[in-house]
Amino acid sequence: MSEPDRPPQPLVVSLALLTVVSGIVDAVSYLGLGHVFTANMTGNVVLVGLAIAGAPGFSLAANLCSLGCFVGGAIVGGRLALAVQPRRELLVWAVAIEAGFTAVAAIIGGTVAVVGVGWSRYTVIALLAFSMGMRIAVVRRMAVADMNTTVVTMTLTGLASESTFGGGANPNAAHRAASVLSLFGGALVGAVFEVHVHPGWALGLATGLLIATAVYFVRAAPLDIGLAS
């Protein structure tokens, strides 16, 4: 198997940072919002099944809220991609909007006494899931192999099955490993903040990473990051 075309390293690093954000957000939402994912909809679909079955500790309403808002965000992301054609400008808009939504979620998480119940719970779920759906829809238009910034099941499968041990030639191994490690690292950091510090700080960190990524996209030359078209 031939080595696939390599996107510029700065773009890969930027998408890896967005993957870290996904890990942080999912750690905070799962641990602090009552067993609900706001980035990984594969897991969320499974949780809906568990909730319908009556398994304790799972909320059908919360998981459906996340799924619905994610789908709504993905629809908006698709519309945004039609309205904003330059790929760099499209990513800037998506990441900046996500930063704004995440910042609001961080403020709620930092000011409400108990964020895991009542209006604050559903508001934070809606903000995070909607912005994540929009961002992932936009990142999908970038078509960078194995860097979808959220789900790593197929990435991990490719990393193993096409490795030397699997009889392959390790195509795209660095990107695949970076994607898996970024999601793991984000989840670890998010869990540490959620359990030992404060969920508001975790979402604040995610907001900072998003702002830094958006600023980088604004300042970098489109050709240098593979977003000239």
Side-chain angles (χ1 to χ4, degrees):
M1 181 179 295
S2 61
E3 188 75 9
D5 292 338
R6 293 181 179 272
Q9 195 66 20
L11 178 59
V12 172
V13 173
S14 299
L15 295 180
L17 278 179
L18 294 181
T19 307
V20 171
V21 170
S22 297
I24 293 174
V25 165
D26 260 349
V28 171
S29 60
Y30 189 83
L31 295 176
L33 299 176
H35 294 172
V36 57
F37 290 113
T38 52
N40 179 7
M41 289 302 118
T42 303
N44 222 30
V45 169
V46 173
L47 297 184
V48 167
L50 297 180
I52 292 174
F58 298 94
S59 168
L60 180 60
N63 284 283
L64 288 178
C65 174
S66 183
L67 275 170
C69 291
F70 183 92
V71 170
I75 291 172
V76 171
R79 290 289 184 177
L80 184 64
L82 292 176
V84 182
Q85 293 301 315
R87 295 203 299 164
R88 181 180 71 162
E89 187 176 339
L90 174 61
L91 265 179
V92 169
W93 272 102
V95 175
I97 293 172
E98 183 184 359
F101 277 56
T102 307
V104 174
I107 292 171
I108 295 173
T111 56
V112 175
V114 182
V115 73
V117 297
W119 71 268
S120 58
R121 179 191 191 191
Y122 287 94
T123 302
V124 172
I125 288 173
L127 288 167
L128 296 177
F130 181 90
S131 61
M132 195 64 64
M134 181 197 61
R135 183 244 283 177
I136 294 170
V138 167
V139 168
R140 188 170 183 270
R141 301 298 178 102
M142 303 300 110
V144 178
D146 300 303
M147 296 296 294
N148 63 52
T149 75
T150 308
V151 181
V152 297
T153 302
M154 294 305 297
T155 302
L156 191 58
T157 301
L159 183 63
S161 66
E162 297 176 10
S163 68
T164 301
F165 297 106
N170 298 295
N172 230 12
H175 294 173
R176 290 169 173 172
S179 183
V180 173
L181 291 175
S182 296
L183 190 64
F184 165 79
L188 176 61
V189 170
V192 168
F193 272 78
E194 173 68 32
V195 174
H196 301 291
V197 187
H198 196 282
W201 283 103
L203 294 178
L205 173 61
T207 301
L209 292 175
L210 290 167
I211 292 173
T213 303
V215 170
Y216 174 74
F217 283 143
V218 169
R219 296 176 61 87
L223 188 61
D224 291 342
I225 54 177
L227 299 175
S229 58

